[in-house]
Amino acid sequence: MTSQVLVGCSPDDRGDDALVLAALVARATGAAVTAANVHPPPWPARGPGSVDAEWLAFLRGRADEAVRAAAARLAELGVPKRDVAPHVHAHRGSGRGLIEVAEETGAGLVVIGSAPRGRRGRIAVGSTADQLLHGSPVPVLLAPRGYGAEAPVRLERLTAAYWRRGDADGPLAAAAGWAAALDVPMRLLTLVLRPPGVAARFRDSGEVLERQRERAEEDLARAAGLVGGAPIATETVTGVGVGKALAAVDMLPGEVLACQSGHHGPLRKVFLGESSGKIVRSAPRPVLMLPRGASRG
């Protein structure tokens, strides 16, 4: 699916989480890696609020140091040195800067870590992720906080969160393409959500929920048939809210969870919708956000 992976580097644990995950992808796909750090640009004109030359030199020097350290870390993680390119870029927004770097380098995937305030083992959406998740033209792969310290030896399976809608077939094909590129089996997952307290209010709530589950299983069987190739596992899980439903799903250490963008977002861009946002924040494994209208090609 991609011959170039872009990883956002920062000189802290979240940067290492992203580097470890990018290395897993690169080793599985044979892709080259661009290790990028985005630093603030100079002010457009001299004036009382402008940043002086020494401060800019300091920012650039720190960025250079960050990408050199990232390149060395990627080599430790098994990515050949010839396949790693350091890249420093100036932009006021780190996420928008990474989008520019992805377009400049032809990257087919952007990998970043969780915001530092996040809970360990989960993904917190900070400013960098927010900008990428509302406008990246290529898929975005997010590593949970602490992923680097407990990373698997290799990626083992791709689970695609699936719900039937008019534009779901493209992202379904894209997820299948990523599973093939990563050389892992694919599973389709649907979460059937039960509102809190519904059983106490409605006598036949159990029957309604069971009908929803049956329809979800029919939709999954249809979707699995569209993918073709190797057999696709399917699973339907019922829970009160996305977090509790995802907690009931068995996840391998090397699992990646793929999620389609919200259908109200711009075409061919990543857009974090309400459901996908809840999945990103609840997932205990890396999440691959696919652009709206994505396809296998």
Side-chain angles (χ1 to χ4, degrees), residues 21 114 119-124 141-148 150-152 157 159 187 189 191 242-258 277-288:
L21 182 54
S114 169
R119 172 183 162 197
R120 191 171 182 84
R122 295 292 185 274
I123 297 167
L141 181 60
L142 303 103
R145 185 166 176 253
Y147 187 77
E150 302 174 353
R157 181 171 61 191
T159 292
R187 172 176 63 169
L189 170 70
L191 305 178
V242 170
K244 290 187 177 180
L246 266 183
V249 179
D250 178 50
M251 296 275 185
L252 298 173
E255 197 92 41
V256 173
L257 184 61
K278 291 178 180 178
I279 289 174
V280 167
R281 293 176 176 89
S282 302
R285 298 289 187 272
V287 176
L288 176 68

Side-chain angles (χ1 to χ4, degrees), residues 196-208:
V198 69
R201 296 196 301 270
F202 300 102
R203 182 179 302 176
D204 60 347
S205 61
E207 295 179 5
V208 172

Side-chain angles (χ1 to χ4, degrees), residues 1-5 25 28-31 106-109 138-139 158 170-183 288 290-291 294-297:
M1 293 292 290
T2 179
S3 60
Q4 186 71 237
V5 172
V25 173
T29 62
L109 176 70
V138 299
L158 184 140
L172 175 66
W178 276 104
L182 296 169
D183 193 24
L288 176 68
L290 302 167
S295 65
R296 191 184 184 105

Side-chain angles (χ1 to χ4, degrees), residues 19-112:
L19 290 171
V20 170
L21 182 54
L24 287 170
V25 173
R27 294 204 310 266
T29 62
V33 181
T34 297
N37 180 276
V38 178
H39 67 85
W43 290 88
R46 300 298 299 175
S50 66
V51 182
D52 60 28
E54 285 117 6
W55 176 243
L56 287 174
F58 167 75
L59 292 176
R60 175 66 191 233
R62 190 172 64 171
D64 286 336
E65 183 180 343
V67 296
R68 283 196 298 268
R73 177 63 170 143
L74 287 166
E76 291 177 0
L77 293 167
V79 182
K81 289 184 179 180
R82 66 178 183 276
D83 292 338
V84 179
H87 193 107
V88 172
H89 188 73
H91 200 285
R92 298 192 188 283
S94 53
R96 289 189 292 273
L98 287 173
I99 290 174
E100 289 185 354
V101 177
E103 293 171 342
E104 180 182 336
T105 61
L109 176 70
V110 179
V111 184
I112 60 170

Side-chain angles (χ1 to χ4, degrees), residues 134-241:
H134 292 89
S136 174
V138 299
V140 178
L141 181 60
L142 303 103
R145 185 166 176 253
Y147 187 77
E150 302 174 353
V153 175
R154 62 181 180 84
L155 299 177
E156 298 174 274
R157 181 171 61 191
L158 184 140
T159 292
Y162 179 83
W163 52 94
R164 186 174 183 178
R165 68 187 201 201
D167 59 348
D169 291 350
L172 175 66
W178 276 104
L182 296 169
D183 193 24
V184 295
M186 181 177 173
R187 172 176 63 169
L188 295 178
L189 170 70
T190 293
L191 305 178
V192 178
L193 305 181
R194 181 177 66 248
V198 69
R201 296 196 301 270
F202 300 102
R203 182 179 302 176
D204 60 347
S205 61
E207 295 179 5
V208 172
L209 199 64
E210 184 58 31
R211 286 197 295 271
Q212 290 178 338
R213 185 185 181 97
E214 290 173 355
R215 282 196 296 270
E217 290 174 348
E218 291 172 359
D219 291 341
L220 283 174
R222 168 193 168 276
L226 291 174
V227 173
I232 305 295
T234 62
E235 186 171 345
T236 305
V237 175
T238 303
V240 179

